[in-house]
Amino acid sequence: MKQYQRSSVLIIGGAEDKVHGREILQTFWRCAGGNDAIIAIIPSASREPTIIGDRYLSIFRDMGVKDLKVLDVRDRIEGEDKYYQEYVEQCTAVFMTGGDQLRLCGLLADTPLMERIRQRVKLGEITLGGTSAGAAVMGHHMIAGGSSGESPNRALVDMAMGLGFIPEIIVDQHFHNRNRMARLLSALSNHPERIGIGIDEDTCALFTPDDHLEVVGKGTVTIIDAQAMSYTNQGKVSAESPLALHNLRIHILCHGDRYNRKAHQPTAALDN
Amino acid sequence: MKQYQRSSVLIIGGAEDKVHGREILQTFWRCAGGNDAIIAIIPSASREPTIIGDRYLSIFRDMGVKDLKVLDVRDRIEGEDKYYQEYVEQCTAVFMTGGDQLRLCGLLADTPLMERIRQRVKLGEITLGGTSAGAAVMGHHMIAGGSSGESPNRALVDMAMGLGFIPEIIVDQHFHNRNRMARLLSALSNHPERIGIGIDEDTCALFTPDDHLEVVGKGTVTIIDAQAMSYTNQGKVSAESPLALHNLRIHILCHGDRYNRKAHQPTAALDN
């Protein structure tokens, strides 16, 4: 079984297998330290935090951990809770569930709890995982909502501030499953210096400390790289007008494929 | 008003405006010779060829033409009809309506009528237009059907032989409107030497004799260029497995943007 480092960031496209092979959640568990893991589960994106918190609690408990706890923040004041903060000091990993990414950011952005998590992730001390809404918040810019079935246009996507764990990316989840290519392109038109990461369901973009991402799971991870974009009409047209974007580079990556974030180059699973 | 040459190929993404500005159909009409135009309308993709034939008949008649006729081929034997063939000799343009692309090819592929149209288009003697199903048939390889809402995979798209007017392209129509990025990517994985052209509704990719295409209309034309693709798992995995495609170049083009088919480079509307 492949070994991953303990200071990874796992960005999951939603609807990950929770019943059978649990490949992605197993990978998170291993990055969290396996039987030595101490996992903090943050269910705050969900309007049913008890149910979803308990679900992940029982999944990770089944795998075998040293300790685990749901940090059930339902009010910003709980982001200053001493007990929760102490737990974050001892934990080896934090997992953020699905729900509504605006709710998650609204409750936790800039709280002492989230600031400390961010710091520990940045220092490479803990592993971080997020699925669906918990994935959407990973970048500095966040897709808060949007639509499909239209030519790319700025009105197709609602942007907000994310939690900024990996500032240079803009994440979209349930990606091909919900036909979100046009909305991610629309998001990028405004921020071409960022990298668009579209993650399919039951699929994970695993960011490793050596500046790579690796694909785990059943679907694809789509990378949209606009660094060489030669033209966009983005600033010149109304929000509903179709967007021109010339010279994008796109990579569709499958299980085991890697992407070098510094060199902006993918390598195939077979060559890794 | 911009002048286009009379030997253009207009590939229309379906649902073009037939009532108000009629920008795309007007452009076709001008390429057909305007008031001197002699237009043959082929409604054979449709199961209601009389209704759809009459519709375009009345649209082009309103614009003012020298002559026009519906070549209502409903049986392959009519593809040998002397009267129809004579009309194709005198016409300045041919227009293929929407419907089902397999029906259109089934009725007309390799008939003397279609062979003569192909020859005259190739010689630059006439203008050709096609919308929706009439657009799908333009390449050598044709998307006959497919689905959306999945990671790119070979089973997501049904391929067939097209009429091959512009062999090097694979066309997909109603493109962003019906979320067809994954299916066009899937089609290209098998034919990376072709250029993928995704055309939105009420949008036209106008192929000019100087090896460019230019965008006319309300939406976008998406070019997928896999010439520099560094890796695909296409031949190695089952039809339902997700596809890896590394290093694609993609251009989203808007009204007035052009694409140089030889140089594989777009230029912006403003620079043309």
Side-chain angles (χ1 to χ4, degrees), chain B residues 160-181:
Chain B
M161 300 295 283
L163 297 177
F165 291 104
I166 304 179
E168 79 266 25
I169 63 175
I170 298 179
V171 173
D172 210 345
Q173 66 287 351
H174 305 277
F175 189 64
H176 283 298
N177 314 81
R178 297 190 188 169
N179 297 308
R180 287 176 165 173
M181 183 72 93

Side-chain angles (χ1 to χ4, degrees), chain B residues 146-160:
Chain B
S147 185
S148 69
E150 291 175 24
S151 313
N153 68 87
R154 297 203 317 275
L156 196 64
V157 62
D158 302 319
M159 300 300 296

Side-chain angles (χ1 to χ4, degrees), chain B residues 233-244:
Chain B
N233 61 357
Q234 191 275 336
K236 298 167 192 149
V237 296
S238 72
E240 290 78 17
S241 294
L243 288 166

Side-chain angles (χ1 to χ4, degrees), chain A residues 47-225:
Chain A
R47 290 207 165 272
E48 295 189 314
T50 308
I51 293 170
I52 200 160
D54 284 352
R55 183 101 198 255
Y56 283 100
L57 206 63
S58 100
I59 289 170
F60 293 129
R61 189 186 290 128
D62 278 1
M63 292 179 186
V65 294
K66 192 162 161 194
D67 195 41
L68 79 181
K69 194 86 63 193
V70 177
L71 311 189
D72 191 356
V73 174
R74 302 184 186 199
D75 191 296
R76 277 188 68 86
I77 196 73
E78 294 172 286
E80 296 171 23
D81 184 293
K82 280 275 169 299
Y83 177 74
Y84 286 169
Q85 287 185 63
E86 275 163 29
Y87 203 77
V88 161
E89 291 305 324
Q90 358 162 354
C91 76
T92 61
V94 172
F95 189 88
M96 299 184 290
T97 72
D100 175 350
Q101 52 265 44
L102 281 175
R103 185 179 161 81
L104 181 56
C105 290
L107 286 172
L108 280 158
D110 302 321
T111 59
L113 187 69
M114 190 49 77
E115 281 311 300
R116 183 59 184 145
I117 293 171
R118 190 211 310 273
Q119 203 171 32
R120 295 204 68 197
V121 169
K122 199 171 173 188
L123 291 170
E125 295 175 354
I126 60 173
T127 280
L128 176 70
T131 186
S132 196
V137 300
M138 292 290 187
H140 174 75
H141 297 290
M142 174 176 89
I143 296 179
S147 184
S148 69
E150 292 176 25
S151 313
N153 69 88
R154 296 205 315 275
L156 196 64
V157 63
D158 302 319
M159 300 301 295
M161 300 297 282
L163 296 178
F165 290 105
I166 304 179
E168 78 268 24
I169 63 175
I170 297 179
V171 173
D172 210 346
Q173 65 287 354
H174 304 278
F175 188 65
H176 283 298
N177 313 80
R178 297 191 187 167
N179 297 306
R180 289 178 165 173
M181 183 72 94
R183 105 173 183 178
L184 183 54
L185 288 167
S186 304
L188 268 182
S189 73
N190 217 2
H191 307 289
E193 77 288 357
R194 311 283 162 165
I195 300 285
I197 312 267
I199 309 172
D200 293 346
E201 293 178 357
D202 200 12
T203 308
C204 171
L206 189 154
F207 285 72
T208 55
D210 66 346
D211 284 316
H212 282 70
L213 75 83
E214 179 169 335
V215 180
V216 180
K218 294 241 166 51
T220 60
V221 171
T222 301
I223 311 268
I224 308 182
D225 177 351

Side-chain angles (χ1 to χ4, degrees), chain A residues 10-61:
Chain A
L10 289 87
I11 312 185
I12 306 166
E16 73 281 358
D17 173 10
K18 296 176 189 67
V19 179
H20 299 102
R22 293 172 169 173
E23 182 184 16
I24 292 168
L25 295 177
Q26 285 262 3
T27 304
F28 173 80
W29 169 78
R30 273 184 280 128
C31 292
N35 290 317
D36 296 323
I38 302 173
I39 301 176
I41 298 164
I42 298 181
S44 309
S46 175
R47 290 207 165 272
E48 295 189 314
T50 308
I51 293 170
I52 200 160
D54 284 352
R55 183 101 198 255
Y56 283 100
L57 206 63
S58 100
I59 289 170
F60 293 129
R61 189 186 290 128

Side-chain angles (χ1 to χ4, degrees), chain A residues 149-152 176-177 179 200 218-219 231 242-254 257 265 268, chain B residues 149-152 176-177 179 181 200 218 220 231 242-254 257 265 268:
Chain A
E150 292 176 25
S151 313
H176 283 298
N177 313 80
N179 297 306
D200 293 346
K218 294 241 166 51
Y231 172 76
L243 288 165
L245 301 156
H246 297 187
N247 277 300
L248 304 176
R249 265 172 66 212
I250 294 194
H251 314 288
I252 317 281
L253 310 180
C254 289
D257 289 353
Q265 272 299 344
Chain B
E150 291 175 24
S151 313
H176 283 298
N177 314 81
N179 297 308
M181 183 72 93
D200 293 346
K218 294 240 164 56
T220 61
Y231 172 76
L243 288 166
L245 301 157
H246 297 188
N247 277 300
L248 305 176
R249 265 174 63 212
I250 295 196
H251 314 289
I252 317 282
L253 309 180
C254 288
D257 288 353
Q265 271 299 343

